[in-house]
Amino acid sequence: MSIEPNSTPISADFLSFVGNITALQVSQDFIERLPVAIYACDADGRILWFNSLAATSWGRSPLIGDDSERYCGSYRLYIGGRQTRRDETPMAAVLRTGIPVQGAEIRVERPDGSSVWAMVHIEPVEDETGKLIGAINCFHETTALHNAKEDLSKFFENGAVGLHVLADNGTILRANQAELAMLGYAESEYVGCNIKDYHLDQSVAGDIVDCLCNHRPIRQYPARLHAKDGTVRHVLITSNGRVRDRGTIGTRCFMIDVTDRAAAEALLHEQEHRLATTYEHAGSGIAEIDADGRLLRVNLRLCELMDLTADQLIGRSIFDEAFSQDVEHDREQFRRQVAGTIDRYSIEKRVSRQDGSFFWTSVTSSSVRDADGRFLYAVRVQHDISERKQVQEELAARIQEQAALYRLTDRLQHARSLGDVYELALDAIQEALRCQRSSILLYDSASILKFVAWRGLSDGYRAAVEGHSPWKANEENPQPIYIADVSEAPLPDSLKKTILAEGIRAIAFVPLLDSGKLLGKFMAYFDQPHVFTDGEVDVALALARQLGFGIERMRAQKAAQHLVSIVESSHDAIVSKNLDGIITTWNRSAERLFGYTADEVVGNSITIIIPPDRMDEETEILRCIRTGEMIDHLETVRRRKDGSLVDISLTISPVRDAKGRIVGASKIARDITERKEAETKIRASEQQLQDLLAAIPTAIYTTDPEGKITYFNQAAVEFAGRVPKLGSDRWCISPKLYWPDGTPLPHDKCPMAVALQEKRAVRGVEAVAERPDGTRVPFIPHPTPIYDGDGNIVGGINMLVDISERKQAETQQRMLLNELNHRVKNNMQMLQSLLSSAARRSQSEEARQILEDATGRISAMAAAQRVLYDTIDATRFSLPQFLDAVCVAVQQTLPSYAKITRKADAGELPNDAAMPLALIINELVTNAFKHGGSGDAELNIRVSLLQEGDADILLVEDDGPGFELNSVRHRSSGLRLVEGLARQLGATFAVSSGSPTRCSVAFSRMAER
């Protein structure tokens, strides 16, 4: 196509459309050669191009670039049985969200009224800047697949040979008329029972089930079955297991009646040939072993696993250490098998190949004996389980990482010194990252990186690399650096030589930060080249965050302890008294200044140290204190114990209780004879304290007992985005506070206010501060009251820890959980829709009932899933919320005259109990509806989830006639499912008949496990 010049103005939309055509343009000849229908849309959903297969599927050719043809060229489109608007189509969703759609099934209605089914796969297309400019949809017709389902059901029911479907435990799920007629049973006498109940030879039945559980199909397997009339029917069974995720979930079996011996012998010959072929081409490695452990026969799969030919394997011992590891346990088990102590055993072992590689295999060795029980040979079946082992190892690594991180976080709370912090961090680094050596380096006052802790590093190496840093000391947002192979890294030759000489082959530089400030780094060293995975990178960053917080916490504690030490070591005499002038506290400096010990004066009047000619001063002092006045630097004279007089300077302050009432006075007395020296010491001490608190990178401020700000450091200014007003601002340095959920937090209810009002340190609280520019900072406060020697609060100190980074991590985790919930929910909805659709189309009442039961179970599971992913804590769920969701889902499957009433205690259970409980509730309620009602009369079903003592109890009650569990267990797959799920929960399932009929499932308190 071409664009002709036009004198009319060109709109921006048209220019965008032309641009998208250019960006998404492909050769028409190319798309016509594609074997699938395909078309493309621009970012606004206008169709850019399509091939003839797409037009054929649509039954029409849409207009290119036309706004009325947006998102799809279909005449009408149906998803889940509902006609879909163009802006609701999968293409519209992809263009709106940028998230691809894979495997969505739709029904396309053509203009002539015909319809086709199709599976769509849509990918968004971005330009080089990452901007979404359109999407491409590839879809193929699946109409035949839908039609095939109905044909398959007819084929099953009308088959000329006996057909049945088994669950993985041998329960007969379905049987056709040919099989029922062959054995003479009614459907109710056969379906729902275990196939082993009809086998004359239990060993044959066990062998069949074993074959299917080990993913080996059986072909023309001879068996003998009990017929209802007492005769024995000889049959040949052909079956294969239905496998999902490497596990057998059921089987489909064909049974041919070969009672006539001649026909049986002919079929037997054919069966032997097929078994030989199956043996050779089985998906598992199979070998026959003599009594000495030598290979007699091997199949192709075993040769492939071992990377050896059959000639190279036959005659070799299975215990040959050249290719078999962990042989001693295998050899001992094989000896017992040959001796007849055991007939079969299974092991997992690692096997080496000639090229040095190895693989994990699961081996099952079964004995073959003659009629007299003598050992002939053993059949060993080997399954490659390398992938499973790899997943297990990776899972174990992740668990180890998380455990190390958890232990570090927990133990840091109890660390008493920086040395403790360093040692705990080194332990966690080497455990979580599985490195052989580690170290921690921090910037000193000269901004030079110095080793403060290390493991396994020589003195020479530390001296050579100390001071080296990949970042500047004041660098913002430093990123970690990972070197997988030092020998290949672009490092200075001298540095590379030093690292390699130390035996280090891989290395990680991880920055340590606190409130965005670079504190230093930790290093992880590996003795071999090491590729750092995304999981290790995440763990390393988490370790760095915890270590940085631990370092700053210890520094802050050290500063606080230093402050306390300054107060305790004060040379000023500090005395407190009540409003009657009775001395209540007397410090050591007072003892030195006045000569009285505390025991001599506490409880006596303060007049003991007042000369007779100055008694009027005490009267005036008490008057001022009662009125709340403060006496500052009153110069006077007092009398020592020996009678001598001393010139002092008094500062007297009223002391208030938590309610602000004046309860006494605090006096600071200073010997004026050494005033200048004392003033110099005080100024130096105050400056040291100011410098110390100013150097702490965490926001710190103090208040008086009334909550008014008395001090703040520079980090507090940066945190609040403003300069607090001393003596005016109250409780907090930020003008506005909020709870984490966004609701306003009044200042007089903030943690600092609570700490002062309730006379306790407040911990474990989160809040959000709003700066004047509108930005908000989540933080954890650590308000702590400050007491005088008499135990009265004289103020408070608060440290505000910025947790913005942690909140971002929590938000990302929540987004991941929401995405997982969305995907699981969509899959369950699609599965539920498919089952419902299949039930409606099924012509078999039995099949329809099975599909409807499955739909109800999926609905209950979906309800439980919604509860799990709607919680903030993705490890537990609320009992009332869970019971409401599941009962509402089950109620939707019942008619209006069936009512479910529910009751749940306020408690929680772990998430692994959710799905079993949801299925149990669905089965018991459905069973109560089926058997507890009469016609369409109103039926009330009561469901309770209670906590009694140390147990959780689920109760389902109705007013029906009841039933005896043992008498119906063998013909009720639903009750067997309940029993199996109860065992999974470690619970006890019981039924009591009568009025009412009650089914109970009781299990120990899982929330405390």
Side-chain angles (χ1 to χ4, degrees):
M1 63 181 291
S2 62
I3 301 175
E4 298 297 330
N6 196 323
S7 60
T8 60
I10 301 176
S11 68
D13 289 342
F14 178 77
L15 289 175
S16 174
F17 176 73
V18 172
N20 290 338
I21 288 178
T22 303
L24 293 169
Q25 191 62 52
V26 296
S27 168
Q28 187 67 29
D29 180 66
F30 170 78
I31 64 174
E32 287 298 337
R33 292 176 179 272
L34 293 176
V36 296
I38 184 170
Y39 72 95
C41 290
D42 67 4
D44 295 320
R46 293 183 292 253
I47 296 176
L48 300 174
W49 46 258
F50 57 87
N51 65 0
S52 58
L53 286 178
T56 300
S57 296
W58 292 328
R60 61 189 295 270
S61 296
L63 298 176
I64 299 295
D66 194 296
D67 284 342
S68 66
E69 298 276 14
R70 294 174 69 192
Y71 303 122
C72 182
S74 300
Y75 175 65
R76 287 194 181 95
L77 191 67
Y78 294 84
I79 299 178
R82 182 179 65 85
Q83 183 176 345
T84 304
R85 300 196 315 265
R86 289 184 178 275
D87 59 355
E88 295 177 337
T89 61
M91 173 63 80
V94 171
L95 292 175
R96 185 168 53 252
T97 65
I99 300 173
V101 171
Q102 299 292 337
E105 193 168 35
I106 63 173
R107 181 168 68 87
V108 177
E109 183 179 315
R110 295 168 170 151
D112 61 2
S114 62
S115 296
V116 295
W117 287 86
M119 190 76 70
V120 300
H121 308 270
I122 307 173
E123 288 289 336
V125 178
E126 300 175 346
D127 61 14
E128 62 276 5
T129 67
K131 177 183 178 183
L132 183 70
I133 63 172
I136 297 176
N137 187 347
C138 295
F139 59 99
H140 59 276
E141 185 175 344
T142 59
T143 306
L145 178 61
H146 281 265
N147 295 336
K149 293 180 180 178
E150 183 175 354
D151 295 338
L152 180 61
S153 178
K154 292 180 179 178
F155 167 79
F156 183 95
E157 289 300 328
N158 300 324
V161 298
L163 302 174
H164 65 262
V165 178
L166 297 180
D168 59 345
N169 61 359
T171 300
I172 303 170
L173 302 177
R174 187 177 180 185
N176 69 350
Q177 291 301 317
E179 183 161 326
L180 294 173
M182 176 180 67
L183 297 175
Y185 293 101
E187 183 177 358
S188 60
E189 298 171 325
Y190 193 67
V191 175
C193 300
N194 196 289
I195 192 64
K196 292 182 180 180
D197 297 339
Y198 302 93
H199 273 271
L200 187 63
D201 305 307
Q202 289 300 307
S203 62
V204 171
D207 191 47
I208 292 174
V209 172
D210 182 73
C211 288
L212 297 176
C213 289
N214 284 280
H215 307 168
R216 288 181 292 160
I218 59 175
R219 299 285 186 271
Q220 302 294 309
Y221 199 110
R224 297 183 297 167
L225 302 178
H226 294 286
K228 184 176 182 180
D229 61 4
T231 61
V232 175
R233 308 299 297 178
H234 292 259
V235 297
L236 294 178
I237 300 175
T238 299
S239 180
N240 65 305
R242 296 172 60 203
V243 179
R244 182 178 300 146
D245 296 334
R246 297 178 175 268
T248 301
I249 63 171
T251 62
R252 297 162 295 225
C253 300
F254 294 75
M255 289 204 308
I256 301 176
D257 186 357
V258 290
T259 306
D260 183 87
R261 183 174 295 275
E265 289 176 350
L267 291 174
L268 180 61
H269 178 74
E270 181 182 356
Q271 179 194 27
E272 289 175 346
H273 175 72
R274 291 184 179 180
L275 285 175
T277 303
T278 301
Y279 176 94
E280 191 64 29
H281 297 283
S284 303
I286 304 175
E288 296 175 6
I289 314 298
D290 67 12
D292 295 323
R294 290 188 298 269
L295 293 159
L296 301 175
R297 183 182 177 188
V298 296
N299 72 344
L300 289 176
R301 178 55 179 161
L302 184 60
C303 294
E304 292 171 358
L305 289 174
M306 301 294 298
D307 196 23
L308 294 170
T309 65
D311 292 338
Q312 291 173 314
L313 286 172
I314 291 176
R316 292 184 67 173
S317 171
I318 60 173
F319 308 116
D320 188 345
E321 294 184 355
F323 62 78
S324 181
Q325 302 182 22
D326 308 319
V327 298
E328 288 306 317
H329 178 65
D330 193 2
R331 194 196 306 273
E332 178 59 27
Q333 293 293 91
F334 188 77
R335 288 191 187 122
R336 296 177 62 202
Q337 184 176 18
V338 173
T341 306
I342 58 175
D343 243 358
R344 172 181 304 185
Y345 69 91
S346 297
I347 61 169
E348 292 182 359
K349 60 189 301 183
R350 205 165 69 159
V351 179
S352 300
R353 299 188 178 98
Q354 282 188 321
D355 61 2
S357 64
F358 68 90
F359 67 97
W360 280 93
T361 179
S362 173
V363 180
T364 299
S365 179
S366 303
S367 300
V368 177
R369 302 181 182 276
D370 61 15
D372 296 327
R374 290 188 295 268
F375 181 89
L376 298 179
Y377 58 90
V379 176
R380 288 171 69 92
V381 180
Q382 295 188 188
H383 301 282
D384 186 354
I385 59 171
S386 300
E387 183 177 348
R388 190 194 81 192
K389 284 291 186 180
Q390 180 181 359
V391 171
Q392 289 175 343
E393 291 172 358
E394 292 176 354
L395 179 60
R398 298 291 84 77
I399 293 174
Q400 180 179 347
E401 292 170 357
Q402 295 303 316
L405 185 58
Y406 171 80
R407 282 192 292 272
L408 174 63
T409 304
D410 181 65
R411 292 173 180 174
L412 282 178
Q413 305 302 316
H414 308 288
R416 296 181 176 273
S417 66
L418 278 173
D420 291 344
V421 172
Y422 300 151
E423 290 303 310
L424 292 172
L426 292 177
D427 288 341
I429 291 168
Q430 294 188 203
E431 180 181 359
L433 300 181
R434 296 176 295 284
C435 58
Q436 288 71 50
R437 288 173 276 185
S438 59
S439 66
I440 300 172
L441 297 91
L442 300 179
Y443 284 105
D444 64 10
S445 58
S447 297
I448 298 175
L449 273 178
K450 297 287 187 179
F451 283 92
V452 296
W454 60 88
R455 297 270 178 86
L457 299 178
S458 67
D459 293 342
Y461 175 80
R462 288 187 284 106
V465 302
E466 192 170 61
H468 171 76
S469 174
W471 318 287
K472 296 180 180 179
N474 59 351
E475 185 168 343
E476 296 182 359
N477 194 28
Q479 297 299 309
I481 298 172
Y482 304 93
I483 300 177
D485 191 343
V486 174
S487 63
E488 302 295 332
L491 297 172
D493 291 340
S494 59
L495 179 60
K496 182 185 295 186
K497 183 177 179 180
T498 299
I499 297 174
L500 292 174
E502 187 73 1
I504 298 170
R505 293 296 177 268
I507 195 166
F509 302 74
V510 184
L512 300 176
L513 303 170
D514 183 74
S515 300
K517 180 181 177 182
L518 183 61
L519 303 177
K521 64 180 178 179
F522 82 72
M523 307 287 295
Y525 309 93
F526 298 81
D527 294 342
Q528 299 297 329
H530 180 82
V531 177
F532 295 86
T533 65
D534 291 342
E536 289 174 328
V537 171
D538 292 340
V539 170
L541 292 175
L543 289 170
R545 284 193 293 270
Q546 292 300 322
L547 176 54
F549 176 78
I551 292 172
E552 286 310 298
R553 183 174 70 85
M554 294 308 303
R555 287 179 174 177
Q557 287 181 356
K558 183 177 180 181
Q561 291 170 357
H562 184 63
L563 178 61
V564 172
S565 176
I566 292 174
V567 174
E568 288 295 325
S569 61
S570 173
H571 291 285
D572 293 332
I574 301 176
V575 178
S576 64
K577 62 183 179 180
N578 62 21
L579 295 179
D580 296 323
I582 303 301
I583 300 171
T584 55
T585 64
W586 185 271
N587 74 345
R588 292 182 180 179
S589 292
E591 292 180 353
R592 289 192 296 269
L593 180 61
F594 298 112
Y596 292 99
T597 66
D599 291 338
E600 291 176 312
V601 296
V602 171
N604 294 317
S605 173
I606 194 67
T607 57
I608 194 174
I609 61 172
I610 300 177
D613 60 342
R614 290 184 177 268
M615 288 295 179
D616 58 331
E617 287 183 0
E618 180 62 11
T619 302
E620 180 61 18
I621 289 171
L622 291 176
R623 185 194 66 78
C624 292
I625 292 301
R626 289 189 179 98
T627 60
E629 297 179 37
M630 177 179 176
I631 300 174
D632 192 19
H633 297 297
L634 171 66
E635 295 184 5
T636 186
V637 177
R638 291 293 182 260
R639 185 175 59 186
R640 295 190 177 99
K641 181 179 180 180
D642 61 4
S644 63
L645 300 178
V646 57
D647 293 322
I648 64 172
S649 173
L650 280 179
T651 298
I652 307 174
S653 303
V655 176
R656 301 177 185 272
D657 61 14
K659 296 181 179 180
R661 294 174 300 191
I662 297 173
V663 295
S666 174
K667 291 186 177 182
I668 299 176
R670 181 172 300 170
D671 188 349
I672 301 177
T673 58
E674 297 180 353
R675 172 184 290 176
K676 296 300 182 182
E677 180 182 354
E679 288 177 351
T680 301
K681 291 182 179 179
I682 290 174
R683 285 195 297 270
S685 177
E686 289 177 346
Q687 186 60 45
Q688 182 182 12
L689 177 60
Q690 294 285 345
D691 293 343
L692 178 63
L693 293 179
I696 296 176
T698 302
I700 294 178
Y701 67 92
T702 61
T703 72
D704 63 15
E706 301 299 319
K708 292 182 179 180
I709 306 298
T710 58
Y711 169 80
F712 57 88
N713 63 0
Q714 182 58 35
V717 175
E718 296 171 358
F719 177 91
R722 62 186 287 271
V723 178
K725 297 179 181 179
L726 295 179
S728 174
D729 286 355
R730 197 175 184 190
W731 308 124
C732 187
I733 58 176
S734 296
K736 293 183 179 180
L737 296 175
Y738 300 88
W739 290 113
D741 63 359
T743 58
L745 171 57
H747 276 59
D748 60 351
K749 302 297 182 183
C750 73
M752 175 58 100
V754 172
L756 293 176
Q757 293 165 2
E758 298 182 5
K759 300 180 181 180
R760 64 181 179 87
V762 176
R763 298 292 184 267
V765 177
E766 292 185 18
V768 178
E770 184 177 286
R771 297 182 173 123
D773 63 2
T775 60
R776 293 189 178 185
V777 182
F779 68 95
I780 296 177
H782 296 77
T784 304
I786 300 175
Y787 299 87
D788 62 13
D790 198 30
N792 299 312
I793 291 181
V794 296
I797 184 170
N798 198 357
M799 179 174 67
L800 309 180
V801 179
D802 186 341
I803 58 171
S804 301
E805 291 183 5
R806 194 192 80 183
K807 286 296 182 181
Q808 292 173 0
E810 291 175 352
T811 300
Q812 184 178 12
Q813 182 184 27
R814 185 70 254 173
M815 291 173 63
L816 291 175
L817 286 174
N818 289 340
E819 176 62 16
L820 179 60
N821 178 30
H822 175 71
R823 293 179 181 270
V824 172
K825 178 175 66 177
N826 286 349
N827 289 338
M828 284 193 171
Q829 287 176 346
M830 179 177 289
L831 178 58
Q832 193 172 353
S833 176
L834 291 174
L835 291 171
S836 298
S837 177
R840 289 193 300 270
R841 294 196 306 270
S842 176
Q843 297 180 356
S844 167
E845 180 60 28
E846 177 191 1
R848 182 164 53 254
Q849 184 60 49
I850 291 173
L851 291 170
E852 289 176 352
D853 289 347
T855 301
R857 291 166 184 165
I858 293 297
S859 176
M861 293 172 66
Q865 182 262 341
R866 287 194 299 274
V867 172
L868 297 185
Y869 286 99
D870 282 343
T871 59
I872 296 176
D873 182 356
T875 62
R876 300 181 298 276
F877 63 88
S878 164
L879 295 184
Q881 185 180 3
F882 168 82
L883 188 61
D884 286 348
V886 175
C887 287
V888 168
V890 178
Q891 179 72 70
Q892 293 174 354
T893 67
L894 303 179
S896 60
Y897 61 83
K899 304 295 183 182
I900 301 176
T901 58
R902 51 194 181 271
K903 175 184 177 183
D905 287 340
E908 292 183 333
L909 284 178
N911 281 359
D912 56 3
M915 291 305 173
L917 276 179
L919 290 173
I920 290 174
I921 293 171
N922 177 73
E923 294 301 325
L924 294 180
V925 172
T926 303
N927 187 67
F929 164 71
K930 290 180 179 178
H931 306 292
S934 176
D936 58 355
E938 182 173 332
L939 172 64
N940 185 18
I941 303 172
R942 299 172 294 282
V943 183
S944 303
L945 194 49
L946 309 175
Q947 292 187 331
E948 297 182 3
D950 294 330
D952 298 285
I953 301 177
L954 168 67
L955 299 175
V956 178
E957 301 174 315
D958 63 82
D959 299 318
F963 60 93
E964 174 60 35
L965 179 61
N966 291 331
S967 65
V968 300
R969 179 185 287 116
H970 71 282
R971 54 186 173 86
S972 174
S973 60
L975 290 177
R976 288 198 298 275
L977 174 60
V978 171
E979 290 182 317
L981 292 170
R983 287 192 297 271
Q984 180 181 336
L985 291 172
T988 301
F989 174 49
V991 177
S992 61
S993 298
S995 182
T997 296
R998 171 181 292 178
C999 296
S1000 64
V1001 179
F1003 46 94
S1004 61
R1005 179 64 47 77
M1006 301 183 68
E1008 298 175 0
R1009 291 181 180 177

